[in-house]
Amino acid sequence: MQPAALGLELKERWCKKLLQGEKKLELRRYAIPEEFLDQPVYLLSTPDGHEGQSTLPPETMPAAHPGVSIAGTVTFSGQVVYSSYEQWLGDVALHCVDPDTPYSWQPGITKEMFGWQIASVQSAAAPQPVPAMRRVLSSWFKVLEVQGAEQPLQ
């Protein structure tokens, strides 16, 4: 698995769908920053439950933090902007978010959503412990440099 400078928090079931190729778009309520495109990103798998809430620390996450592991990497190449419920609903097979979940378009409330286009994924041979990381935006973390680290994650 390639080393990465960023990590993205996802619930375990979404990581699995993404790594198995079932999920072609990662659905979010905000645009992916351009500087996060076209580079490998660690998939930070957290247990299902606590829907719509992060289970990770609000700022800095120490190395080998419990309750999270690296499931693989993903590279995003761009995004689709959804400006209507009908448009969003037409891509359910690509983003895998059913209309009756907390992650879905909320008619009368949602104004737009974003489907981050998945260019490639790579599974880890086995779940890997996370390096020390710092939250930089919503579910995004930046890997902190670790002194003496000479080998990339497997």
Side-chain angles (χ1 to χ4, degrees):
M1 183 173 63
Q2 326 175 38
L6 294 168
L8 179 66
E9 178 183 7
L10 289 101
K11 300 294 182 195
E12 183 177 12
R13 71 181 177 282
W14 301 119
C15 276
K16 285 181 181 177
K17 286 180 182 284
L18 199 150
L19 290 168
Q20 293 168 350
E22 182 180 345
K23 190 171 174 62
K24 306 291 185 196
L25 295 170
E26 173 56 23
L27 192 66
R28 297 291 169 139
R29 298 190 186 279
Y30 59 94
I32 187 171
E34 271 193 50
E35 63 269 23
F36 295 176
L37 296 173
D38 302 316
Q39 64 176 301
V41 174
Y42 288 135
L43 291 169
L44 307 178
S45 180
T46 60
D48 291 332
H50 299 96
E51 299 304 318
Q53 297 177 24
S54 175
T55 57
L56 300 180
E59 293 179 14
T60 302
M61 179 169 51
H65 187 72
V68 60
S69 63
I70 295 173
T73 59
V74 62
T75 301
F76 297 105
S77 59
Q79 65 189 349
V80 174
V81 180
Y82 298 106
S83 55
S84 73
Y85 176 72
E86 293 74 22
Q87 182 189 13
W88 175 88
L89 192 60
D91 276 355
V92 165
L94 298 176
H95 56 65
C96 301
V97 177
D98 291 325
D100 61 348
T101 68
Y103 300 107
S104 70
W105 185 282
Q106 305 296 312
I109 298 171
T110 305
K111 301 292 185 223
E112 66 181 4
M113 290 185 88
F114 302 85
W116 301 346
Q117 296 165 322
I118 297 164
S120 65
V121 295
Q122 183 178 11
S123 294
Q128 301 286 311
V130 295
M133 304 180 100
R134 178 177 46 84
R135 190 182 296 265
V136 291
L137 172 71
S138 192
S139 297
W140 288 92
F141 289 80
K142 183 174 182 177
V143 175
L144 301 175
E145 297 215 21
V146 179
Q147 296 294 342
E150 296 179 2
Q151 294 191 342
L153 295 171
Q154 300 298 312

PDB file of all heavy atoms in Angstrom, residues 3-36:
ATOM      1  N   PRO A   3       2.286   4.957   0.763  1.00  0.00           N
ATOM      2  CA  PRO A   3       2.173   5.887   1.890  1.00  0.00           C
ATOM      3  C   PRO A   3       1.340   7.092   1.475  1.00  0.00           C
ATOM      4  O   PRO A   3       1.227   7.405   0.291  1.00  0.00           O
ATOM      5  CB  PRO A   3       3.619   6.285   2.179  1.00  0.00           C
ATOM      6  CG  PRO A   3       4.391   5.926   0.973  1.00  0.00           C
ATOM      7  CD  PRO A   3       3.636   4.856   0.245  1.00  0.00           C
ATOM      8  N   ALA A   4       0.728   7.755   2.439  1.00  0.00           N
ATOM      9  CA  ALA A   4      -0.130   8.908   2.165  1.00  0.00           C
ATOM     10  C   ALA A   4       0.139  10.001   3.180  1.00  0.00           C
ATOM     11  O   ALA A   4       0.593   9.736   4.293  1.00  0.00           O
ATOM     12  CB  ALA A   4      -1.593   8.488   2.203  1.00  0.00           C
ATOM     13  N   ALA A   5      -0.142  11.233   2.789  1.00  0.00           N
ATOM     14  CA  ALA A   5       0.029  12.381   3.681  1.00  0.00           C
ATOM     15  C   ALA A   5      -1.290  12.769   4.338  1.00  0.00           C
ATOM     16  O   ALA A   5      -1.305  13.528   5.297  1.00  0.00           O
ATOM     17  CB  ALA A   5       0.590  13.569   2.904  1.00  0.00           C
ATOM     18  N   LEU A   6      -2.418  12.234   3.810  1.00  0.00           N
ATOM     19  CA  LEU A   6      -3.749  12.569   4.316  1.00  0.00           C
ATOM     20  C   LEU A   6      -4.518  11.308   4.665  1.00  0.00           C
ATOM     21  O   LEU A   6      -4.236  10.226   4.138  1.00  0.00           O
ATOM     22  CB  LEU A   6      -4.548  13.329   3.244  1.00  0.00           C
ATOM     23  CG  LEU A   6      -4.045  14.706   2.854  1.00  0.00           C
ATOM     24  CD1 LEU A   6      -4.752  15.175   1.591  1.00  0.00           C
ATOM     25  CD2 LEU A   6      -4.271  15.695   3.989  1.00  0.00           C
ATOM     26  N   GLY A   7      -5.518  11.463   5.528  1.00  0.00           N
ATOM     27  CA  GLY A   7      -6.429  10.378   5.848  1.00  0.00           C
ATOM     28  C   GLY A   7      -7.849  10.902   5.863  1.00  0.00           C
ATOM     29  O   GLY A   7      -8.080  12.066   6.187  1.00  0.00           O
ATOM     30  N   LEU A   8      -8.796  10.049   5.491  1.00  0.00           N
ATOM     31  CA  LEU A   8     -10.210  10.393   5.473  1.00  0.00           C
ATOM     32  C   LEU A   8     -10.973   9.409   6.333  1.00  0.00           C
ATOM     33  O   LEU A   8     -10.896   8.197   6.111  1.00  0.00           O
ATOM     34  CB  LEU A   8     -10.750  10.371   4.035  1.00  0.00           C
ATOM     35  CG  LEU A   8     -12.234  10.691   3.869  1.00  0.00           C
ATOM     36  CD1 LEU A   8     -12.528  12.144   4.264  1.00  0.00           C
ATOM     37  CD2 LEU A   8     -12.681  10.423   2.443  1.00  0.00           C
ATOM     38  N   GLU A   9     -11.713   9.916   7.295  1.00  0.00           N
ATOM     39  CA  GLU A   9     -12.508   9.087   8.205  1.00  0.00           C
ATOM     40  C   GLU A   9     -13.786   8.617   7.514  1.00  0.00           C
ATOM     41  O   GLU A   9     -14.534   9.415   6.962  1.00  0.00           O
ATOM     42  CB  GLU A   9     -12.869   9.916   9.446  1.00  0.00           C
ATOM     43  CG  GLU A   9     -13.736   9.206  10.442  1.00  0.00           C
ATOM     44  CD  GLU A   9     -14.123  10.080  11.620  1.00  0.00           C
ATOM     45  OE1 GLU A   9     -13.829  11.292  11.616  1.00  0.00           O
ATOM     46  OE2 GLU A   9     -14.742   9.539  12.551  1.00  0.00           O
ATOM     47  N   LEU A  10     -14.025   7.297   7.565  1.00  0.00           N
ATOM     48  CA  LEU A  10     -15.254   6.695   7.042  1.00  0.00           C
ATOM     49  C   LEU A  10     -15.687   5.580   7.980  1.00  0.00           C
ATOM     50  O   LEU A  10     -14.846   4.899   8.576  1.00  0.00           O
ATOM     51  CB  LEU A  10     -15.035   6.063   5.665  1.00  0.00           C
ATOM     52  CG  LEU A  10     -14.824   6.975   4.495  1.00  0.00           C
ATOM     53  CD1 LEU A  10     -13.371   7.072   4.151  1.00  0.00           C
ATOM     54  CD2 LEU A  10     -15.583   6.423   3.309  1.00  0.00           C
ATOM     55  N   LYS A  11     -16.985   5.374   8.075  1.00  0.00           N
ATOM     56  CA  LYS A  11     -17.491   4.224   8.822  1.00  0.00           C
ATOM     57  C   LYS A  11     -17.073   2.945   8.087  1.00  0.00           C
ATOM     58  O   LYS A  11     -16.921   2.929   6.868  1.00  0.00           O
ATOM     59  CB  LYS A  11     -19.014   4.287   8.951  1.00  0.00           C
ATOM     60  CG  LYS A  11     -19.525   5.520   9.672  1.00  0.00           C
ATOM     61  CD  LYS A  11     -19.111   5.548  11.110  1.00  0.00           C
ATOM     62  CE  LYS A  11     -19.693   6.771  11.814  1.00  0.00           C
ATOM     63  NZ  LYS A  11     -19.068   7.029  13.089  1.00  0.00           N
ATOM     64  N   GLU A  12     -16.917   1.873   8.834  1.00  0.00           N
ATOM     65  CA  GLU A  12     -16.409   0.613   8.286  1.00  0.00           C
ATOM     66  C   GLU A  12     -17.192   0.137   7.059  1.00  0.00           C
ATOM     67  O   GLU A  12     -16.606  -0.295   6.067  1.00  0.00           O
ATOM     68  CB  GLU A  12     -16.427  -0.458   9.375  1.00  0.00           C
ATOM     69  CG  GLU A  12     -15.857  -1.782   8.940  1.00  0.00           C
ATOM     70  CD  GLU A  12     -15.828  -2.808  10.058  1.00  0.00           C
ATOM     71  OE1 GLU A  12     -16.454  -2.584  11.114  1.00  0.00           O
ATOM     72  OE2 GLU A  12     -15.186  -3.846   9.857  1.00  0.00           O
ATOM     73  N   ARG A  13     -18.516   0.215   7.098  1.00  0.00           N
ATOM     74  CA  ARG A  13     -19.305  -0.304   5.970  1.00  0.00           C
ATOM     75  C   ARG A  13     -19.055   0.476   4.689  1.00  0.00           C
ATOM     76  O   ARG A  13     -19.058  -0.075   3.603  1.00  0.00           O
ATOM     77  CB  ARG A  13     -20.795  -0.346   6.306  1.00  0.00           C
ATOM     78  CG  ARG A  13     -21.475   0.997   6.387  1.00  0.00           C
ATOM     79  CD  ARG A  13     -22.955   0.817   6.745  1.00  0.00           C
ATOM     80  NE  ARG A  13     -23.648   2.067   6.907  1.00  0.00           N
ATOM     81  CZ  ARG A  13     -23.581   2.845   7.973  1.00  0.00           C
ATOM     82  NH1 ARG A  13     -22.809   2.504   8.999  1.00  0.00           N
ATOM     83  NH2 ARG A  13     -24.259   3.959   8.025  1.00  0.00           N
ATOM     84  N   TRP A  14     -18.793   1.792   4.810  1.00  0.00           N
ATOM     85  CA  TRP A  14     -18.514   2.606   3.622  1.00  0.00           C
ATOM     86  C   TRP A  14     -17.123   2.285   3.082  1.00  0.00           C
ATOM     87  O   TRP A  14     -16.910   2.257   1.871  1.00  0.00           O
ATOM     88  CB  TRP A  14     -18.652   4.095   3.917  1.00  0.00           C
ATOM     89  CG  TRP A  14     -20.018   4.489   4.411  1.00  0.00           C
ATOM     90  CD1 TRP A  14     -20.318   5.053   5.620  1.00  0.00           C
ATOM     91  CD2 TRP A  14     -21.268   4.365   3.718  1.00  0.00           C
ATOM     92  NE1 TRP A  14     -21.672   5.269   5.715  1.00  0.00           N
ATOM     93  CE2 TRP A  14     -22.280   4.854   4.561  1.00  0.00           C
ATOM     94  CE3 TRP A  14     -21.628   3.868   2.469  1.00  0.00           C
ATOM     95  CZ2 TRP A  14     -23.619   4.881   4.196  1.00  0.00           C
ATOM     96  CZ3 TRP A  14     -22.969   3.887   2.102  1.00  0.00           C
ATOM     97  CH2 TRP A  14     -23.951   4.392   2.961  1.00  0.00           C
ATOM     98  N   CYS A  15     -16.171   2.054   3.977  1.00  0.00           N
ATOM     99  CA  CYS A  15     -14.822   1.642   3.546  1.00  0.00           C
ATOM    100  C   CYS A  15     -14.901   0.355   2.737  1.00  0.00           C
ATOM    101  O   CYS A  15     -14.283   0.236   1.677  1.00  0.00           O
ATOM    102  CB  CYS A  15     -13.905   1.421   4.748  1.00  0.00           C
ATOM    103  SG  CYS A  15     -13.141   2.896   5.380  1.00  0.00           S
ATOM    104  N   LYS A  16     -15.649  -0.608   3.234  1.00  0.00           N
ATOM    105  CA  LYS A  16     -15.761  -1.898   2.538  1.00  0.00           C
ATOM    106  C   LYS A  16     -16.364  -1.722   1.147  1.00  0.00           C
ATOM    107  O   LYS A  16     -15.856  -2.279   0.173  1.00  0.00           O
ATOM    108  CB  LYS A  16     -16.596  -2.877   3.367  1.00  0.00           C
ATOM    109  CG  LYS A  16     -15.853  -3.436   4.552  1.00  0.00           C
ATOM    110  CD  LYS A  16     -16.714  -4.404   5.324  1.00  0.00           C
ATOM    111  CE  LYS A  16     -15.967  -4.931   6.527  1.00  0.00           C
ATOM    112  NZ  LYS A  16     -16.786  -5.827   7.354  1.00  0.00           N
ATOM    113  N   LYS A  17     -17.443  -0.960   1.048  1.00  0.00           N
ATOM    114  CA  LYS A  17     -18.084  -0.738  -0.255  1.00  0.00           C
ATOM    115  C   LYS A  17     -17.134  -0.041  -1.221  1.00  0.00           C
ATOM    116  O   LYS A  17     -17.088  -0.359  -2.405  1.00  0.00           O
ATOM    117  CB  LYS A  17     -19.363   0.091  -0.089  1.00  0.00           C
ATOM    118  CG  LYS A  17     -20.523  -0.668   0.512  1.00  0.00           C
ATOM    119  CD  LYS A  17     -21.748   0.228   0.641  1.00  0.00           C
ATOM    120  CE  LYS A  17     -22.913  -0.468   1.281  1.00  0.00           C
ATOM    121  NZ  LYS A  17     -23.592  -1.402   0.385  1.00  0.00           N
ATOM    122  N   LEU A  18     -16.373   0.893  -0.709  1.00  0.00           N
ATOM    123  CA  LEU A  18     -15.419   1.624  -1.533  1.00  0.00           C
ATOM    124  C   LEU A  18     -14.298   0.699  -2.009  1.00  0.00           C
ATOM    125  O   LEU A  18     -13.991   0.650  -3.191  1.00  0.00           O
ATOM    126  CB  LEU A  18     -14.870   2.798  -0.718  1.00  0.00           C
ATOM    127  CG  LEU A  18     -14.216   3.918  -1.479  1.00  0.00           C
ATOM    128  CD1 LEU A  18     -14.399   5.220  -0.721  1.00  0.00           C
ATOM    129  CD2 LEU A  18     -12.767   3.647  -1.679  1.00  0.00           C
ATOM    130  N   LEU A  19     -13.721  -0.070  -1.082  1.00  0.00           N
ATOM    131  CA  LEU A  19     -12.608  -0.953  -1.425  1.00  0.00           C
ATOM    132  C   LEU A  19     -13.034  -2.119  -2.315  1.00  0.00           C
ATOM    133  O   LEU A  19     -12.227  -2.632  -3.092  1.00  0.00           O
ATOM    134  CB  LEU A  19     -11.934  -1.469  -0.152  1.00  0.00           C
ATOM    135  CG  LEU A  19     -11.146  -0.415   0.619  1.00  0.00           C
ATOM    136  CD1 LEU A  19     -10.761  -0.929   1.999  1.00  0.00           C
ATOM    137  CD2 LEU A  19      -9.913   0.023  -0.166  1.00  0.00           C
ATOM    138  N   GLN A  20     -14.281  -2.531  -2.227  1.00  0.00           N
ATOM    139  CA  GLN A  20     -14.782  -3.624  -3.065  1.00  0.00           C
ATOM    140  C   GLN A  20     -15.242  -3.129  -4.441  1.00  0.00           C
ATOM    141  O   GLN A  20     -15.673  -3.924  -5.271  1.00  0.00           O
ATOM    142  CB  GLN A  20     -15.927  -4.350  -2.356  1.00  0.00           C
ATOM    143  CG  GLN A  20     -15.461  -5.094  -1.130  1.00  0.00           C
ATOM    144  CD  GLN A  20     -16.603  -5.586  -0.249  1.00  0.00           C
ATOM    145  OE1 GLN A  20     -17.752  -5.230  -0.428  1.00  0.00           O
ATOM    146  NE2 GLN A  20     -16.261  -6.420   0.726  1.00  0.00           N
ATOM    147  N   GLY A  21     -15.172  -1.823  -4.676  1.00  0.00           N
ATOM    148  CA  GLY A  21     -15.546  -1.272  -5.972  1.00  0.00           C
ATOM    149  C   GLY A  21     -17.026  -1.030  -6.159  1.00  0.00           C
ATOM    150  O   GLY A  21     -17.468  -0.604  -7.223  1.00  0.00           O
ATOM    151  N   GLU A  22     -17.818  -1.282  -5.123  1.00  0.00           N
ATOM    152  CA  GLU A  22     -19.264  -1.055  -5.205  1.00  0.00           C
ATOM    153  C   GLU A  22     -19.585   0.440  -5.192  1.00  0.00           C
ATOM    154  O   GLU A  22     -20.493   0.904  -5.868  1.00  0.00           O
ATOM    155  CB  GLU A  22     -19.955  -1.763  -4.036  1.00  0.00           C
ATOM    156  CG  GLU A  22     -21.448  -1.633  -4.040  1.00  0.00           C
ATOM    157  CD  GLU A  22     -22.106  -2.342  -2.862  1.00  0.00           C
ATOM    158  OE1 GLU A  22     -21.451  -3.174  -2.193  1.00  0.00           O
ATOM    159  OE2 GLU A  22     -23.281  -2.046  -2.612  1.00  0.00           O
ATOM    160  N   LYS A  23     -18.844   1.185  -4.417  1.00  0.00           N
ATOM    161  CA  LYS A  23     -19.049   2.625  -4.248  1.00  0.00           C
ATOM    162  C   LYS A  23     -18.104   3.364  -5.190  1.00  0.00           C
ATOM    163  O   LYS A  23     -16.890   3.244  -5.066  1.00  0.00           O
ATOM    164  CB  LYS A  23     -18.778   2.972  -2.780  1.00  0.00           C
ATOM    165  CG  LYS A  23     -19.142   4.348  -2.344  1.00  0.00           C
ATOM    166  CD  LYS A  23     -18.998   4.416  -0.816  1.00  0.00           C
ATOM    167  CE  LYS A  23     -19.189   5.782  -0.265  1.00  0.00           C
ATOM    168  NZ  LYS A  23     -20.513   6.328  -0.505  1.00  0.00           N
ATOM    169  N   LYS A  24     -18.658   4.115  -6.134  1.00  0.00           N
ATOM    170  CA  LYS A  24     -17.863   4.834  -7.139  1.00  0.00           C
ATOM    171  C   LYS A  24     -17.717   6.317  -6.813  1.00  0.00           C
ATOM    172  O   LYS A  24     -16.868   6.997  -7.380  1.00  0.00           O
ATOM    173  CB  LYS A  24     -18.508   4.709  -8.517  1.00  0.00           C
ATOM    174  CG  LYS A  24     -18.772   3.295  -8.955  1.00  0.00           C
ATOM    175  CD  LYS A  24     -17.508   2.553  -9.243  1.00  0.00           C
ATOM    176  CE  LYS A  24     -17.814   1.170  -9.806  1.00  0.00           C
ATOM    177  NZ  LYS A  24     -16.685   0.294  -9.751  1.00  0.00           N
ATOM    178  N   LEU A  25     -18.555   6.821  -5.914  1.00  0.00           N
ATOM    179  CA  LEU A  25     -18.517   8.221  -5.474  1.00  0.00           C
ATOM    180  C   LEU A  25     -18.591   8.259  -3.956  1.00  0.00           C
ATOM    181  O   LEU A  25     -19.412   7.551  -3.361  1.00  0.00           O
ATOM    182  CB  LEU A  25     -19.730   8.999  -6.023  1.00  0.00           C
ATOM    183  CG  LEU A  25     -19.846   9.180  -7.523  1.00  0.00           C
ATOM    184  CD1 LEU A  25     -21.222   9.748  -7.873  1.00  0.00           C
ATOM    185  CD2 LEU A  25     -18.752  10.095  -8.045  1.00  0.00           C
ATOM    186  N   GLU A  26     -17.765   9.063  -3.328  1.00  0.00           N
ATOM    187  CA  GLU A  26     -17.842   9.286  -1.882  1.00  0.00           C
ATOM    188  C   GLU A  26     -18.700  10.537  -1.687  1.00  0.00           C
ATOM    189  O   GLU A  26     -18.339  11.632  -2.125  1.00  0.00           O
ATOM    190  CB  GLU A  26     -16.451   9.478  -1.277  1.00  0.00           C
ATOM    191  CG  GLU A  26     -16.443   9.867   0.176  1.00  0.00           C
ATOM    192  CD  GLU A  26     -17.191   8.910   1.100  1.00  0.00           C
ATOM    193  OE1 GLU A  26     -17.371   7.718   0.760  1.00  0.00           O
ATOM    194  OE2 GLU A  26     -17.613   9.362   2.172  1.00  0.00           O
ATOM    195  N   LEU A  27     -19.842  10.366  -1.059  1.00  0.00           N
ATOM    196  CA  LEU A  27     -20.830  11.435  -0.930  1.00  0.00           C
ATOM    197  C   LEU A  27     -20.565  12.278   0.318  1.00  0.00           C
ATOM    198  O   LEU A  27     -20.414  11.740   1.415  1.00  0.00           O
ATOM    199  CB  LEU A  27     -22.227  10.817  -0.861  1.00  0.00           C
ATOM    200  CG  LEU A  27     -23.386  11.765  -1.011  1.00  0.00           C
ATOM    201  CD1 LEU A  27     -23.416  12.357  -2.420  1.00  0.00           C
ATOM    202  CD2 LEU A  27     -24.696  11.044  -0.735  1.00  0.00           C
ATOM    203  N   ARG A  28     -20.516  13.592   0.130  1.00  0.00           N
ATOM    204  CA  ARG A  28     -20.307  14.520   1.244  1.00  0.00           C
ATOM    205  C   ARG A  28     -21.145  15.776   1.051  1.00  0.00           C
ATOM    206  O   ARG A  28     -21.640  16.052  -0.031  1.00  0.00           O
ATOM    207  CB  ARG A  28     -18.820  14.910   1.348  1.00  0.00           C
ATOM    208  CG  ARG A  28     -17.883  13.752   1.657  1.00  0.00           C
ATOM    209  CD  ARG A  28     -18.073  13.239   3.069  1.00  0.00           C
ATOM    210  NE  ARG A  28     -17.374  11.980   3.284  1.00  0.00           N
ATOM    211  CZ  ARG A  28     -16.706  11.691   4.384  1.00  0.00           C
ATOM    212  NH1 ARG A  28     -16.623  12.553   5.376  1.00  0.00           N
ATOM    213  NH2 ARG A  28     -16.109  10.520   4.501  1.00  0.00           N
ATOM    214  N   ARG A  29     -21.249  16.550   2.107  1.00  0.00           N
ATOM    215  CA  ARG A  29     -22.007  17.808   2.064  1.00  0.00           C
ATOM    216  C   ARG A  29     -21.106  19.005   1.769  1.00  0.00           C
ATOM    217  O   ARG A  29     -21.542  20.144   1.849  1.00  0.00           O
ATOM    218  CB  ARG A  29     -22.763  18.016   3.367  1.00  0.00           C
ATOM    219  CG  ARG A  29     -23.792  16.920   3.610  1.00  0.00           C
ATOM    220  CD  ARG A  29     -24.726  17.214   4.757  1.00  0.00           C
ATOM    221  NE  ARG A  29     -25.591  16.077   5.020  1.00  0.00           N
ATOM    222  CZ  ARG A  29     -26.690  15.795   4.349  1.00  0.00           C
ATOM    223  NH1 ARG A  29     -27.063  16.563   3.360  1.00  0.00           N
ATOM    224  NH2 ARG A  29     -27.419  14.739   4.650  1.00  0.00           N
ATOM    225  N   TYR A  30     -19.862  18.762   1.454  1.00  0.00           N
ATOM    226  CA  TYR A  30     -18.927  19.841   1.123  1.00  0.00           C
ATOM    227  C   TYR A  30     -18.025  19.387  -0.024  1.00  0.00           C
ATOM    228  O   TYR A  30     -17.819  18.199  -0.243  1.00  0.00           O
ATOM    229  CB  TYR A  30     -18.099  20.258   2.344  1.00  0.00           C
ATOM    230  CG  TYR A  30     -17.272  19.158   2.958  1.00  0.00           C
ATOM    231  CD1 TYR A  30     -15.939  18.974   2.592  1.00  0.00           C
ATOM    232  CD2 TYR A  30     -17.810  18.288   3.902  1.00  0.00           C
ATOM    233  CE1 TYR A  30     -15.177  17.962   3.151  1.00  0.00           C
ATOM    234  CE2 TYR A  30     -17.061  17.268   4.466  1.00  0.00           C
ATOM    235  CZ  TYR A  30     -15.746  17.117   4.079  1.00  0.00           C
ATOM    236  OH  TYR A  30     -14.992  16.109   4.622  1.00  0.00           O
ATOM    237  N   ALA A  31     -17.521  20.369  -0.742  1.00  0.00           N
ATOM    238  CA  ALA A  31     -16.631  20.091  -1.874  1.00  0.00           C
ATOM    239  C   ALA A  31     -15.290  19.564  -1.364  1.00  0.00           C
ATOM    240  O   ALA A  31     -14.814  19.975  -0.295  1.00  0.00           O
ATOM    241  CB  ALA A  31     -16.411  21.363  -2.686  1.00  0.00           C
ATOM    242  N   ILE A  32     -14.693  18.684  -2.140  1.00  0.00           N
ATOM    243  CA  ILE A  32     -13.358  18.204  -1.798  1.00  0.00           C
ATOM    244  C   ILE A  32     -12.363  19.317  -2.158  1.00  0.00           C
ATOM    245  O   ILE A  32     -12.438  19.879  -3.255  1.00  0.00           O
ATOM    246  CB  ILE A  32     -13.012  16.883  -2.512  1.00  0.00           C
ATOM    247  CG1 ILE A  32     -11.680  16.327  -2.003  1.00  0.00           C
ATOM    248  CG2 ILE A  32     -13.027  17.030  -4.023  1.00  0.00           C
ATOM    249  CD1 ILE A  32     -11.367  14.919  -2.484  1.00  0.00           C
ATOM    250  N   PRO A  33     -11.479  19.678  -1.253  1.00  0.00           N
ATOM    251  CA  PRO A  33     -10.473  20.688  -1.603  1.00  0.00           C
ATOM    252  C   PRO A  33      -9.599  20.205  -2.760  1.00  0.00           C
ATOM    253  O   PRO A  33      -9.196  19.039  -2.800  1.00  0.00           O
ATOM    254  CB  PRO A  33      -9.656  20.831  -0.312  1.00  0.00           C
ATOM    255  CG  PRO A  33     -10.596  20.398   0.781  1.00  0.00           C
ATOM    256  CD  PRO A  33     -11.398  19.285   0.154  1.00  0.00           C
ATOM    257  N   GLU A  34      -9.333  21.095  -3.706  1.00  0.00           N
ATOM    258  CA  GLU A  34      -8.537  20.724  -4.888  1.00  0.00           C
ATOM    259  C   GLU A  34      -7.198  20.117  -4.527  1.00  0.00           C
ATOM    260  O   GLU A  34      -6.712  19.212  -5.198  1.00  0.00           O
ATOM    261  CB  GLU A  34      -8.324  21.942  -5.788  1.00  0.00           C
ATOM    262  CG  GLU A  34      -9.418  22.101  -6.799  1.00  0.00           C
ATOM    263  CD  GLU A  34      -9.069  23.092  -7.878  1.00  0.00           C
ATOM    264  OE1 GLU A  34      -7.976  22.992  -8.462  1.00  0.00           O
ATOM    265  OE2 GLU A  34      -9.905  23.955  -8.130  1.00  0.00           O
ATOM    266  N   GLU A  35      -6.579  20.615  -3.452  1.00  0.00           N
ATOM    267  CA  GLU A  35      -5.255  20.114  -3.089  1.00  0.00           C
ATOM    268  C   GLU A  35      -5.297  18.680  -2.554  1.00  0.00           C
ATOM    269  O   GLU A  35      -4.258  18.049  -2.378  1.00  0.00           O
ATOM    270  CB  GLU A  35      -4.560  21.042  -2.086  1.00  0.00           C
ATOM    271  CG  GLU A  35      -5.250  21.179  -0.745  1.00  0.00           C
ATOM    272  CD  GLU A  35      -6.253  22.320  -0.656  1.00  0.00           C
ATOM    273  OE1 GLU A  35      -6.770  22.757  -1.690  1.00  0.00           O
ATOM    274  OE2 GLU A  35      -6.530  22.760   0.471  1.00  0.00           O
ATOM    275  N   PHE A  36      -6.494  18.121  -2.323  1.00  0.00           N
ATOM    276  CA  PHE A  36      -6.624  16.743  -1.860  1.00  0.00           C
ATOM    277  C   PHE A  36      -6.839  15.769  -3.015  1.00  0.00           C
ATOM    278  O   PHE A  36      -6.925  14.564  -2.812  1.00  0.00           O
ATOM    279  CB  PHE A  36      -7.775  16.609  -0.866  1.00  0.00           C
ATOM    280  CG  PHE A  36      -7.585  17.352   0.437  1.00  0.00           C
ATOM    281  CD1 PHE A  36      -8.600  17.375   1.374  1.00  0.00           C
ATOM    282  CD2 PHE A  36      -6.408  18.028   0.746  1.00  0.00           C
ATOM    283  CE1 PHE A  36      -8.453  18.047   2.588  1.00  0.00           C
ATOM    284  CE2 PHE A  36      -6.256  18.718   1.947  1.00  0.00           C
ATOM    285  CZ  PHE A  36      -7.277  18.721   2.871  1.00  0.00           C
TER     286      PHE A  36
END
